[in-house]
Amino acid sequence: MAKAKKAEKAVAISEILGKSWSIFKKNWKTIYILLALPLVLTIIQEMLYGLTDITGVSAFVVQVVFWLAQMIVSMGIIKAMLYIVRGKEVDVDTILSTKGSILPFLFASILVSLIVLFGFVLLIIPGIYLAIKYMFVPYLLIDKELGAMESLKMSSEMTKDIKWSLFAFSLVALLIGYGGILFMLIGLLVTLPYVTVAYSVLYERVRLARKV
């Protein structure tokens, strides 16, 4: 019960949002560079297709290479965000150091997507419940270098008894994102990185509260 109360206290939305804003203001240049990486890869890929006549097997190989690159970058962003939250320096090695987790990350992503989809097929509420239950899977895979099934189990334990608080946080984060859209999409340049930082702060606070 004491652990549950400590974890519940960790999901203090106002504290998380305040800390996230401070982190964002201090590290905004690095954060923008990180979040721009997927877009840069997409632009390079499109330019490659536009400047060359890649077809058939070659086109498939290029597609796979860029797909893997996007996945490595996505995993690297998670690790880099956690580094930023913890006050650590971020460099190129931070991004590339996650490449060994590609298969577990891919398997876990597919598995969680199917589980959540199944929940939404049954009813909306089970889908939301399962999405909250496994929301920390990507972070655990990258941060703790766990396997897919281990990450699902650990995320389930981390979110135990605090799902309502996590749902409330996710709802607030969603509203912040929609607020960015209302400002003619320009607001997303602030709200998107801000919310990304906030989820990393949330994970870190719950992790410490659960002593993971």
Side-chain angles (χ1 to χ4, degrees):
M1 184 63 70
K3 288 184 178 180
K5 288 184 178 179
K6 191 173 182 180
E8 185 78 35
K9 188 177 180 180
V11 193
I13 297 176
S14 60
E15 292 181 12
I16 293 173
L17 295 180
K19 183 175 179 60
S20 300
W21 184 248
S22 297
I23 292 172
F24 173 64
K25 288 194 298 182
K26 183 179 179 181
N27 302 276
W28 64 272
K29 291 181 181 179
T30 302
I31 292 170
Y32 276 127
I33 290 173
L34 287 169
L35 297 183
L37 291 177
L39 178 60
V40 171
L41 283 176
T42 300
I43 292 173
I44 292 174
Q45 184 179 4
E46 292 302 320
M47 288 178 62
L48 184 61
Y49 284 138
L51 297 174
T52 61
D53 296 323
I54 300 176
T55 57
V57 176
S58 297
F60 175 75
V61 171
V62 170
Q63 185 70 34
V64 171
V65 169
F66 274 94
W67 177 72
L68 290 173
Q70 290 280 13
M71 184 171 294
I72 291 172
V73 166
S74 297
M75 295 188 297
I77 288 174
I78 293 174
K79 187 167 186 175
M81 286 296 180
L82 292 178
Y83 269 36
I84 290 172
V85 168
R86 293 166 184 169
K88 297 182 179 181
E89 292 294 327
V90 174
D91 54 26
V92 176
D93 288 337
T94 306
I95 305 295
L96 299 180
S97 63
T98 63
K99 58 183 180 296
S101 301
I102 287 180
L103 290 180
F105 189 85
L106 176 61
F107 178 63
S109 299
I110 294 173
L111 186 58
V112 171
S113 297
L114 291 175
I115 291 173
V116 173
L117 178 61
F118 178 72
F120 276 108
V121 168
L122 293 178
L123 283 172
I124 298 297
I125 294 178
I128 295 174
Y129 173 88
L130 291 169
I132 296 295
K133 183 176 182 178
Y134 297 120
M135 67 186 298
F136 294 133
V137 168
Y139 295 94
L140 289 165
L141 268 163
I142 301 305
D143 185 31
K144 296 299 180 179
E145 298 182 353
L146 301 177
M149 300 309 297
E150 291 175 301
S151 297
L152 265 72
K153 182 179 179 181
M154 185 63 71
S155 181
S156 177
E157 293 175 359
M158 285 179 65
T159 58
K160 185 178 180 181
D161 300 324
I162 59 171
K163 290 183 179 64
W164 276 113
S165 297
L166 293 172
F167 172 73
F169 173 85
S170 299
L171 186 60
V172 170
L174 184 64
L175 291 174
I176 292 173
Y178 274 117
I181 294 175
L182 290 177
F183 284 97
M184 300 177 66
L185 298 180
I186 297 176
L188 284 175
L189 293 175
V190 175
T191 58
L192 178 59
Y194 174 51
V195 169
T196 303
V197 173
Y199 270 103
S200 298
V201 172
L202 171 67
Y203 164 78
E204 184 69 357
R205 286 172 62 97
V206 176
R207 182 189 70 81
L208 292 173
R210 295 293 195 187
K211 296 182 179 179
V212 174

